[in-house]
Amino acid sequence: MHRPPLSRRTVLKAGAATAVATTAAVALPTTAQAARPDSGVSAYAFPLSAVRLLAGPFQANAGRTMSYLTFLDADRLLHMFRLNAGLASSATACGGWESPTTELRGHSIGHVLTALAQAYASTGDTSYKTKGDYIVTQLGLCQDRATARGFNTGYLSAYPESFIDRVETGQAVWAPYYTLHKIMAGLLDMHLLAGNAQALTILNRKAAWVQFRNSRLTLAQRQAMLRTEFGGVGETLYNLYQYGENAAHLTTAQYFDHAQIFDPLANNSDQLNGFHANTQIPKALAAIRGFHATGTTRYRDIASNFWNFVVNQHSYAIGGNSNGEYFQPPNAIASELSDSTCECCNSYNMLKLTRQLFFTFPNRAAELMDFYEKALYNHLLGAQNPSSSHGFHCYYVPLRAGGIKTYSNDYNNFTCCHGTGMETNTKYGESIYFYNGNTLYVNLFIASTLTWPGRGITIRQDTTYPETSTSRLTITGSGAIDLRVRIPSWTSGAQVRVNGTLTGSPTPGSYLTINRTWASGDTVDISLPMSLAIEPTPDNSAVRAVKHGPIVLAGQYGTTNLSALPTLSASSLAATSTPLQYTATASTGSVTLLPFYKTHGVRYTVYWNVTTTPTLPAFVAHYQFDESSGTTASDATGNGRTATLSSGAGRTTGRTGNAVNLSGSSQYVTLPSGILAGATSFTVATWVRVTTLATWARLFDFGSGTGTNMFLVPRSGSGTARYAITAGGAGGEQRIDAPAALPAGVWTHVAITHTGNLGILYVNGAEVARNSALTNRPSILGTTTQNWIGRSQYSGDPYLNAAVDSFRVYSRALSASEIASLNSSGS
Ligand SMILES: [Zn+2]
């Protein structure tokens, strides 16, 4: 944070205090509680109590945090509140950022109240509410003592009100309003989620005190004060106002509009470099709630522009942001890898902001929820230590090569991220499902049940995602629902089945909508094939992170520290039989890659120097065979990968224009070497009119001999069309077998696509077969030198007797609809 002479890390080690962090408070979480409806909102959250997690990594994380909440001694947390109010306390003081001399003391009780309220709402276990109720009662007693202690009415804190004098007059003090906000947010959550009436009373008194303190200041005094981190106090005041409390809370919320930050954002200008990241995110969160409260579009634009800047120009592959807690120049990522990247509070707050923007911009929903998923899985899910029964939490998540995650503890840490970690891990049910009228959004693939309040409909989601790429929804009850299933932008070949029947054409980066009157027992099976991706950083294309679908993979380095990014051979990446686990060859030797969220207790690298064979264009080559003479087949993509007609191959009338005509004796077409070198996804699509079917004759065969090749035959020894790929001879082949041979005598469109572990074979624009365990990809073949149409790597196989037209090669998997349109357009 901005104050300290010491770095935060130094502070942590010293066990002292200085520096800071965040915000809290679930924005109004329930269906129709708000007395003042939100402006500009067209999607809504279900109450946390309507969603129950089923077994899985999220439920496991939640369980650990909830056991910590049960363990925590409320009287120790209350100790400094009581002393500050002149009440007796014999409890042992807490340590870390809650120590009696730390200026941030008292913030954790706010996090604990929020976490207890969420744990109660998420599970129905009243022990959490009972503990929260006790804390609220005790805080009420402390607040009642304010005037007796010489504080102004409504003041409630673990430190004296003189801290507020200091921040108002520009004297050094850590972040007093930040701390007060946590308490306010916790009180609001105890009221909204756990039905505690006294919490609202205390909060209203405290909000009136905030109004009193700030209404006495000039605008210039307030703006000067706002340079000190103040967390989400504005957001909570907007929430309180929207809940229908005193209209004065709106004025008070707007006292916290920070012009230095808001003005450039309103002009869509990224001036974030050099600002403490987590001080700013809650300001954007307050801005979007300000829009919901007032309809002022300037607030909406500030929040939206901020989100765009942070997500697109300041975020790492895991979805986190900041180095040393500060925003860096736009797109400085590879140059900003350290042990203090990605403070966890930042992503906690970015997810809150993303959620509010989702309510506001349903048209951007897919983009917003793609980011939500990225930061949720890759940053926050993996920031809790699974070896700790109390859910100890990271502060930073290091992204330098050789970094290692470190965690909080029971009583001697209490950092901001320990606090927001308690909140994150007790509200995983909040963003899986949303609704608007009859529309139900399924945004995340987390094992859970949703009981739709007032509808008598329950949706059960069973999945082991992301270890599998599928999820099943089962409906109990009946009624009309427009189901909207998120199809992430990173997938290809997605399928959705209703009661076993393929439905719609899922488009990545959008929602698949199924309008239907549902009945008990109806099922929706969602398949979202994941593929390997190697994502470059914006400031250095050689520095890359490896992902499988949405999941960032990290190289596992045990106790070995690293002084530089290892160099990774991209073509060596090979999936293992364990989901999401790869092996590869790097400059450090052979290395295992695991999901980053599962990487704990070892040193790791998320980023690599990546060596690749020259990157293939997405559309590699296209042979139309429209030349009227000669042996050249030009490449219509303009990439210059000219093919050659060999052994006298001729031409005939094609599907469009001319086609190459192969006689079945010795004629074939030669494509350039390395036609798919390094590709981890691909498509080959072509028109063929088989003259005479000959078993094992190749439509195409790309390889370097019988050991290493990929091929497609119109008829294999099994009598049907087959695609196969191997780097280990015939015995190492992975295959897709069609149900029938290709027909003879008619123009037929054939396509093979492969991404992730999913290969699909299409005939005449329709899928005929698939293999979802296809781990052999073109990259394992290296730079193939014998790339042929009509000829086999095996010299004993027959040559193809057929005409071939419009032969296309891509380094990506075309979607089903793209294949269908190639077929229907005849091109
Ligand atoms: Zn933090």
Side-chain angles (χ1 to χ4, degrees), residues 3 60 95 110 128 148 191 252 292 302 307 362 410 481 600 651 668 679 698 731 765 784 793 799 805:
R3 132 179 198 217
Y128 303 117
H191 178 69
T252 314
H292 295 158
I302 286 167
W307 189 93
D410 280 332
I481 298 175
H600 292 278
R651 293 182 177 80
Y668 59 99
R698 265 41 173 193
T784 56
Q793 307 293 329
Y799 284 76
D805 200 1

PDB file of all heavy atoms in Angstrom, residues 3 60 95 110 128 148 191 252 292 302 307 362 410 481 600 651 668 679 698 731 765 784 793 799 805:
ATOM      1  N   ARG A   3       1.848   3.465   2.048  1.00  0.00           N
ATOM      2  CA  ARG A   3       2.432   4.340   3.029  1.00  0.00           C
ATOM      3  C   ARG A   3       3.824   3.931   3.400  1.00  0.00           C
ATOM      4  O   ARG A   3       4.648   4.812   3.614  1.00  0.00           O
ATOM      5  CB  ARG A   3       1.498   4.382   4.196  1.00  0.00           C
ATOM      6  CG  ARG A   3       2.254   4.189   5.410  1.00  0.00           C
ATOM      7  CD  ARG A   3       1.462   4.231   6.601  1.00  0.00           C
ATOM      8  NE  ARG A   3       2.359   4.445   7.659  1.00  0.00           N
ATOM      9  CZ  ARG A   3       2.254   3.930   8.816  1.00  0.00           C
ATOM     10  NH1 ARG A   3       1.231   3.209   9.061  1.00  0.00           N
ATOM     11  NH2 ARG A   3       3.122   4.129   9.711  1.00  0.00           N
ATOM     12  N   ALA A  60     -14.494 -28.391  -1.035  1.00  0.00           N
ATOM     13  CA  ALA A  60     -13.376 -28.730  -0.142  1.00  0.00           C
ATOM     14  C   ALA A  60     -12.741 -27.458   0.425  1.00  0.00           C
ATOM     15  O   ALA A  60     -12.463 -27.368   1.623  1.00  0.00           O
ATOM     16  CB  ALA A  60     -12.341 -29.566  -0.896  1.00  0.00           C
ATOM     17  N   GLY A  95      -2.318 -11.434  16.853  1.00  0.00           N
ATOM     18  CA  GLY A  95      -1.062 -10.929  16.295  1.00  0.00           C
ATOM     19  C   GLY A  95      -1.254 -10.457  14.867  1.00  0.00           C
ATOM     20  O   GLY A  95      -2.372 -10.206  14.422  1.00  0.00           O
ATOM     21  N   GLY A 110     -14.628  -7.642  10.512  1.00  0.00           N
ATOM     22  CA  GLY A 110     -15.565  -7.411   9.414  1.00  0.00           C
ATOM     23  C   GLY A 110     -15.563  -8.566   8.432  1.00  0.00           C
ATOM     24  O   GLY A 110     -16.614  -9.060   8.016  1.00  0.00           O
ATOM     25  N   TYR A 128     -22.886 -20.855  12.546  1.00  0.00           N
ATOM     26  CA  TYR A 128     -22.208 -19.668  12.010  1.00  0.00           C
ATOM     27  C   TYR A 128     -23.000 -18.400  12.355  1.00  0.00           C
ATOM     28  O   TYR A 128     -22.444 -17.376  12.715  1.00  0.00           O
ATOM     29  CB  TYR A 128     -22.020 -19.791  10.493  1.00  0.00           C
ATOM     30  CG  TYR A 128     -21.258 -21.021  10.085  1.00  0.00           C
ATOM     31  CD1 TYR A 128     -21.851 -22.010   9.305  1.00  0.00           C
ATOM     32  CD2 TYR A 128     -19.938 -21.207  10.488  1.00  0.00           C
ATOM     33  CE1 TYR A 128     -21.161 -23.147   8.943  1.00  0.00           C
ATOM     34  CE2 TYR A 128     -19.234 -22.346  10.135  1.00  0.00           C
ATOM     35  CZ  TYR A 128     -19.857 -23.317   9.356  1.00  0.00           C
ATOM     36  OH  TYR A 128     -19.162 -24.440   9.004  1.00  0.00           O
ATOM     37  N   ALA A 148     -19.099   8.023  25.832  1.00  0.00           N
ATOM     38  CA  ALA A 148     -18.430   7.924  27.133  1.00  0.00           C
ATOM     39  C   ALA A 148     -16.914   7.930  26.961  1.00  0.00           C
ATOM     40  O   ALA A 148     -16.176   8.308  27.876  1.00  0.00           O
ATOM     41  CB  ALA A 148     -18.879   6.649  27.858  1.00  0.00           C
ATOM     42  N   HIS A 191     -26.897  -8.752   8.404  1.00  0.00           N
ATOM     43  CA  HIS A 191     -28.322  -8.421   8.300  1.00  0.00           C
ATOM     44  C   HIS A 191     -28.958  -9.107   7.082  1.00  0.00           C
ATOM     45  O   HIS A 191     -29.972  -9.784   7.199  1.00  0.00           O
ATOM     46  CB  HIS A 191     -28.521  -6.915   8.224  1.00  0.00           C
ATOM     47  CG  HIS A 191     -29.957  -6.544   8.060  1.00  0.00           C
ATOM     48  ND1 HIS A 191     -30.897  -6.716   9.069  1.00  0.00           N
ATOM     49  CD2 HIS A 191     -30.649  -6.069   6.993  1.00  0.00           C
ATOM     50  CE1 HIS A 191     -32.083  -6.350   8.626  1.00  0.00           C
ATOM     51  NE2 HIS A 191     -31.963  -5.955   7.370  1.00  0.00           N
ATOM     52  N   THR A 252     -23.590  10.491   1.356  1.00  0.00           N
ATOM     53  CA  THR A 252     -22.360  10.059   2.020  1.00  0.00           C
ATOM     54  C   THR A 252     -21.527   9.187   1.098  1.00  0.00           C
ATOM     55  O   THR A 252     -20.304   9.312   1.023  1.00  0.00           O
ATOM     56  CB  THR A 252     -22.702   9.293   3.314  1.00  0.00           C
ATOM     57  OG1 THR A 252     -23.699  10.020   4.025  1.00  0.00           O
ATOM     58  CG2 THR A 252     -21.469   9.134   4.184  1.00  0.00           C
ATOM     59  N   HIS A 292     -26.066   1.932 -10.454  1.00  0.00           N
ATOM     60  CA  HIS A 292     -27.296   1.204 -10.122  1.00  0.00           C
ATOM     61  C   HIS A 292     -28.208   2.048  -9.224  1.00  0.00           C
ATOM     62  O   HIS A 292     -29.432   1.966  -9.306  1.00  0.00           O
ATOM     63  CB  HIS A 292     -26.959  -0.117  -9.416  1.00  0.00           C
ATOM     64  CG  HIS A 292     -26.215  -1.087 -10.279  1.00  0.00           C
ATOM     65  ND1 HIS A 292     -25.456  -2.105  -9.775  1.00  0.00           N
ATOM     66  CD2 HIS A 292     -26.121  -1.190 -11.629  1.00  0.00           C
ATOM     67  CE1 HIS A 292     -24.922  -2.799 -10.763  1.00  0.00           C
ATOM     68  NE2 HIS A 292     -25.311  -2.258 -11.900  1.00  0.00           N
ATOM     69  N   ILE A 302     -17.151   4.634 -15.935  1.00  0.00           N
ATOM     70  CA  ILE A 302     -15.933   4.566 -15.114  1.00  0.00           C
ATOM     71  C   ILE A 302     -15.648   3.105 -14.750  1.00  0.00           C
ATOM     72  O   ILE A 302     -14.531   2.612 -14.905  1.00  0.00           O
ATOM     73  CB  ILE A 302     -16.105   5.428 -13.842  1.00  0.00           C
ATOM     74  CG1 ILE A 302     -16.013   6.909 -14.203  1.00  0.00           C
ATOM     75  CG2 ILE A 302     -15.084   5.049 -12.765  1.00  0.00           C
ATOM     76  CD1 ILE A 302     -16.481   7.855 -13.091  1.00  0.00           C
ATOM     77  N   TRP A 307     -12.594  -1.859 -15.757  1.00  0.00           N
ATOM     78  CA  TRP A 307     -12.537  -3.319 -15.937  1.00  0.00           C
ATOM     79  C   TRP A 307     -11.789  -3.670 -17.220  1.00  0.00           C
ATOM     80  O   TRP A 307     -10.918  -4.539 -17.227  1.00  0.00           O
ATOM     81  CB  TRP A 307     -13.950  -3.893 -15.963  1.00  0.00           C
ATOM     82  CG  TRP A 307     -14.014  -5.388 -15.938  1.00  0.00           C
ATOM     83  CD1 TRP A 307     -14.130  -6.195 -14.844  1.00  0.00           C
ATOM     84  CD2 TRP A 307     -13.981  -6.282 -17.080  1.00  0.00           C
ATOM     85  NE1 TRP A 307     -14.165  -7.520 -15.217  1.00  0.00           N
ATOM     86  CE2 TRP A 307     -14.070  -7.599 -16.572  1.00  0.00           C
ATOM     87  CE3 TRP A 307     -13.880  -6.104 -18.458  1.00  0.00           C
ATOM     88  CZ2 TRP A 307     -14.073  -8.727 -17.413  1.00  0.00           C
ATOM     89  CZ3 TRP A 307     -13.869  -7.220 -19.290  1.00  0.00           C
ATOM     90  CH2 TRP A 307     -13.959  -8.514 -18.768  1.00  0.00           C
ATOM     91  N   PRO A 362     -25.682  -7.595 -20.017  1.00  0.00           N
ATOM     92  CA  PRO A 362     -25.910  -8.978 -20.424  1.00  0.00           C
ATOM     93  C   PRO A 362     -25.294  -9.303 -21.787  1.00  0.00           C
ATOM     94  O   PRO A 362     -24.926 -10.431 -22.052  1.00  0.00           O
ATOM     95  CB  PRO A 362     -27.435  -9.097 -20.453  1.00  0.00           C
ATOM     96  CG  PRO A 362     -27.932  -7.705 -20.470  1.00  0.00           C
ATOM     97  CD  PRO A 362     -26.903  -6.848 -19.817  1.00  0.00           C
ATOM     98  N   ASP A 410      -3.248 -19.109  11.920  1.00  0.00           N
ATOM     99  CA  ASP A 410      -4.455 -18.906  12.734  1.00  0.00           C
ATOM    100  C   ASP A 410      -4.582 -17.495  13.312  1.00  0.00           C
ATOM    101  O   ASP A 410      -5.593 -16.829  13.128  1.00  0.00           O
ATOM    102  CB  ASP A 410      -4.477 -19.912  13.892  1.00  0.00           C
ATOM    103  CG  ASP A 410      -4.960 -21.293  13.447  1.00  0.00           C
ATOM    104  OD1 ASP A 410      -5.741 -21.357  12.475  1.00  0.00           O
ATOM    105  OD2 ASP A 410      -4.548 -22.291  14.069  1.00  0.00           O
ATOM    106  N   ILE A 481     -38.493 -22.534 -18.848  1.00  0.00           N
ATOM    107  CA  ILE A 481     -37.246 -21.819 -18.544  1.00  0.00           C
ATOM    108  C   ILE A 481     -36.500 -21.622 -19.845  1.00  0.00           C
ATOM    109  O   ILE A 481     -36.363 -22.553 -20.646  1.00  0.00           O
ATOM    110  CB  ILE A 481     -36.335 -22.637 -17.591  1.00  0.00           C
ATOM    111  CG1 ILE A 481     -36.992 -22.888 -16.244  1.00  0.00           C
ATOM    112  CG2 ILE A 481     -34.996 -21.930 -17.398  1.00  0.00           C
ATOM    113  CD1 ILE A 481     -36.173 -23.790 -15.333  1.00  0.00           C
ATOM    114  N   HIS A 600       1.027 -26.619  -4.966  1.00  0.00           N
ATOM    115  CA  HIS A 600       1.250 -26.160  -3.592  1.00  0.00           C
ATOM    116  C   HIS A 600       2.491 -26.837  -3.038  1.00  0.00           C
ATOM    117  O   HIS A 600       2.753 -28.005  -3.335  1.00  0.00           O
ATOM    118  CB  HIS A 600       0.052 -26.516  -2.697  1.00  0.00           C
ATOM    119  CG  HIS A 600      -1.192 -25.746  -3.031  1.00  0.00           C
ATOM    120  ND1 HIS A 600      -1.429 -24.472  -2.574  1.00  0.00           N
ATOM    121  CD2 HIS A 600      -2.261 -26.082  -3.796  1.00  0.00           C
ATOM    122  CE1 HIS A 600      -2.597 -24.048  -3.044  1.00  0.00           C
ATOM    123  NE2 HIS A 600      -3.132 -24.999  -3.782  1.00  0.00           N
ATOM    124  N   ARG A 651      -5.958 -33.256 -64.413  1.00  0.00           N
ATOM    125  CA  ARG A 651      -7.069 -32.454 -63.906  1.00  0.00           C
ATOM    126  C   ARG A 651      -8.365 -32.924 -64.539  1.00  0.00           C
ATOM    127  O   ARG A 651      -8.390 -33.523 -65.602  1.00  0.00           O
ATOM    128  CB  ARG A 651      -6.836 -30.973 -64.208  1.00  0.00           C
ATOM    129  CG  ARG A 651      -5.653 -30.415 -63.411  1.00  0.00           C
ATOM    130  CD  ARG A 651      -5.454 -28.928 -63.673  1.00  0.00           C
ATOM    131  NE  ARG A 651      -4.353 -28.408 -62.842  1.00  0.00           N
ATOM    132  CZ  ARG A 651      -3.072 -28.548 -63.136  1.00  0.00           C
ATOM    133  NH1 ARG A 651      -2.700 -29.162 -64.250  1.00  0.00           N
ATOM    134  NH2 ARG A 651      -2.143 -28.067 -62.336  1.00  0.00           N
ATOM    135  N   TYR A 668      -0.084 -38.666 -57.389  1.00  0.00           N
ATOM    136  CA  TYR A 668      -0.391 -38.079 -56.086  1.00  0.00           C
ATOM    137  C   TYR A 668      -0.029 -36.603 -56.121  1.00  0.00           C
ATOM    138  O   TYR A 668       0.499 -36.101 -57.130  1.00  0.00           O
ATOM    139  CB  TYR A 668       0.365 -38.800 -54.964  1.00  0.00           C
ATOM    140  CG  TYR A 668       1.874 -38.773 -55.095  1.00  0.00           C
ATOM    141  CD1 TYR A 668       2.635 -37.860 -54.392  1.00  0.00           C
ATOM    142  CD2 TYR A 668       2.538 -39.665 -55.937  1.00  0.00           C
ATOM    143  CE1 TYR A 668       4.026 -37.826 -54.516  1.00  0.00           C
ATOM    144  CE2 TYR A 668       3.923 -39.639 -56.076  1.00  0.00           C
ATOM    145  CZ  TYR A 668       4.659 -38.715 -55.359  1.00  0.00           C
ATOM    146  OH  TYR A 668       6.025 -38.680 -55.500  1.00  0.00           O
ATOM    147  N   ALA A 679       1.700 -27.924 -34.885  1.00  0.00           N
ATOM    148  CA  ALA A 679       0.283 -27.650 -34.637  1.00  0.00           C
ATOM    149  C   ALA A 679      -0.249 -28.535 -33.513  1.00  0.00           C
ATOM    150  O   ALA A 679       0.016 -29.734 -33.463  1.00  0.00           O
ATOM    151  CB  ALA A 679      -0.528 -27.879 -35.908  1.00  0.00           C
ATOM    152  N   ARG A 698      -4.810 -43.726 -49.520  1.00  0.00           N
ATOM    153  CA  ARG A 698      -4.858 -42.519 -48.695  1.00  0.00           C
ATOM    154  C   ARG A 698      -5.558 -41.370 -49.407  1.00  0.00           C
ATOM    155  O   ARG A 698      -5.158 -41.034 -50.529  1.00  0.00           O
ATOM    156  CB  ARG A 698      -3.433 -42.062 -48.377  1.00  0.00           C
ATOM    157  CG  ARG A 698      -2.804 -42.504 -47.077  1.00  0.00           C
ATOM    158  CD  ARG A 698      -3.045 -43.895 -46.658  1.00  0.00           C
ATOM    159  NE  ARG A 698      -2.237 -44.207 -45.462  1.00  0.00           N
ATOM    160  CZ  ARG A 698      -2.047 -45.422 -45.002  1.00  0.00           C
ATOM    161  NH1 ARG A 698      -2.617 -46.460 -45.601  1.00  0.00           N
ATOM    162  NH2 ARG A 698      -1.316 -45.615 -43.932  1.00  0.00           N
ATOM    163  N   GLY A 731       1.372 -49.600 -34.470  1.00  0.00           N
ATOM    164  CA  GLY A 731       0.951 -49.986 -33.122  1.00  0.00           C
ATOM    165  C   GLY A 731       0.652 -48.801 -32.221  1.00  0.00           C
ATOM    166  O   GLY A 731       0.003 -48.963 -31.197  1.00  0.00           O
ATOM    167  N   GLY A 765     -20.587 -32.502 -44.165  1.00  0.00           N
ATOM    168  CA  GLY A 765     -20.958 -31.440 -43.244  1.00  0.00           C
ATOM    169  C   GLY A 765     -21.501 -31.903 -41.913  1.00  0.00           C
ATOM    170  O   GLY A 765     -21.797 -31.076 -41.052  1.00  0.00           O
ATOM    171  N   THR A 784       7.177 -32.876 -40.700  1.00  0.00           N
ATOM    172  CA  THR A 784       6.999 -34.017 -41.612  1.00  0.00           C
ATOM    173  C   THR A 784       7.471 -33.652 -43.018  1.00  0.00           C
ATOM    174  O   THR A 784       7.299 -32.523 -43.482  1.00  0.00           O
ATOM    175  CB  THR A 784       5.521 -34.442 -41.658  1.00  0.00           C
ATOM    176  OG1 THR A 784       4.735 -33.297 -42.045  1.00  0.00           O
ATOM    177  CG2 THR A 784       5.053 -34.921 -40.297  1.00  0.00           C
ATOM    178  N   GLN A 793       2.428 -43.634 -46.731  1.00  0.00           N
ATOM    179  CA  GLN A 793       3.807 -43.831 -46.284  1.00  0.00           C
ATOM    180  C   GLN A 793       4.241 -45.285 -46.519  1.00  0.00           C
ATOM    181  O   GLN A 793       5.432 -45.560 -46.653  1.00  0.00           O
ATOM    182  CB  GLN A 793       3.948 -43.511 -44.785  1.00  0.00           C
ATOM    183  CG  GLN A 793       3.429 -42.148 -44.341  1.00  0.00           C
ATOM    184  CD  GLN A 793       4.208 -40.956 -44.886  1.00  0.00           C
ATOM    185  OE1 GLN A 793       5.414 -41.048 -45.109  1.00  0.00           O
ATOM    186  NE2 GLN A 793       3.505 -39.858 -45.132  1.00  0.00           N
ATOM    187  N   TYR A 799      -2.468 -46.572 -54.410  1.00  0.00           N
ATOM    188  CA  TYR A 799      -2.659 -45.139 -54.579  1.00  0.00           C
ATOM    189  C   TYR A 799      -4.149 -44.846 -54.685  1.00  0.00           C
ATOM    190  O   TYR A 799      -4.957 -45.731 -54.997  1.00  0.00           O
ATOM    191  CB  TYR A 799      -1.935 -44.661 -55.844  1.00  0.00           C
ATOM    192  CG  TYR A 799      -0.423 -44.564 -55.680  1.00  0.00           C
ATOM    193  CD1 TYR A 799       0.376 -45.714 -55.672  1.00  0.00           C
ATOM    194  CD2 TYR A 799       0.191 -43.323 -55.551  1.00  0.00           C
ATOM    195  CE1 TYR A 799       1.744 -45.630 -55.521  1.00  0.00           C
ATOM    196  CE2 TYR A 799       1.581 -43.224 -55.403  1.00  0.00           C
ATOM    197  CZ  TYR A 799       2.356 -44.384 -55.386  1.00  0.00           C
ATOM    198  OH  TYR A 799       3.701 -44.284 -55.239  1.00  0.00           O
ATOM    199  N   ASP A 805     -10.790 -31.952 -54.737  1.00  0.00           N
ATOM    200  CA  ASP A 805     -10.963 -30.526 -55.001  1.00  0.00           C
ATOM    201  C   ASP A 805     -11.015 -29.752 -53.682  1.00  0.00           C
ATOM    202  O   ASP A 805     -11.446 -30.285 -52.652  1.00  0.00           O
ATOM    203  CB  ASP A 805     -12.260 -30.296 -55.801  1.00  0.00           C
ATOM    204  CG  ASP A 805     -12.254 -28.942 -56.519  1.00  0.00           C
ATOM    205  OD1 ASP A 805     -11.246 -28.198 -56.412  1.00  0.00           O
ATOM    206  OD2 ASP A 805     -13.263 -28.628 -57.173  1.00  0.00           O
TER     207      ASP A 805
END
